[in-house]
Amino acid sequence: MVCTSDFIDFVCDALSPLGEVRSRKMMGEYVIYVNDKCVVTACDNTAFVKKLPCVADLMADAETGNPYPGAKEAYILDFRDRQKALKVIETLWKDLPFPKSRKK
């Protein structure tokens, strides 16, 4: 099952206090960028974030799962506590690199 546009709009709207938010469709699913860094992978109307040490304490009680077959296990971001979700993305954003520029 692919993500609905309503779900992607909801996630983008929820993350908008952090800056410029955009989504990009990739093979039927989506990645969501905040200020040009990929912070969320959205699959099956579920938002996944990387399992990195910087968010381990914040996500200690979070469910985990695999966004797609063969992917690394990731935390499932729960938007019921929007302030916590924003804190997780803000913390994660600081540790993630900007995408590498492609050579033409």
Side-chain angles (χ1 to χ4, degrees):
M1 181 180 159
V2 297
C3 288
T4 63
S5 59
D6 288 341
F7 178 75
I8 299 303
D9 291 343
F10 166 76
V11 173
C12 290
D13 183 53
L15 298 179
S16 65
L18 299 176
E20 182 186 338
V21 180
R22 64 184 172 90
S23 63
R24 183 172 180 194
K25 192 170 187 173
M26 302 194 65
M27 297 178 277
E29 302 300 345
Y30 289 82
V31 291
I32 298 173
Y33 296 83
V34 173
N35 298 321
D36 294 323
K37 288 186 181 182
C38 178
V39 293
V40 173
T41 301
C43 302
D44 298 329
N45 286 344
T46 305
F48 295 90
V49 295
K50 289 186 176 185
K51 283 182 86 172
L52 295 178
C54 63
V55 293
D57 289 340
L58 288 168
M59 299 297 284
D61 59 345
E63 291 183 52
T64 60
N66 296 56
Y68 51 88
K72 291 182 181 180
E73 186 177 60
Y75 292 119
I76 296 174
L77 192 59
D78 185 357
F79 285 95
R80 288 179 284 187
D81 183 350
R82 196 170 286 203
Q83 292 304 316
K84 180 178 177 181
L86 290 173
K87 182 67 176 167
V88 168
I89 296 300
E90 186 176 45
T91 303
L92 191 61
W93 189 91
K94 293 174 186 174
D95 274 23
L96 291 172
F98 282 100
K100 294 178 183 176
S101 59
R102 296 182 182 173
K103 293 183 180 182
K104 293 184 179 180

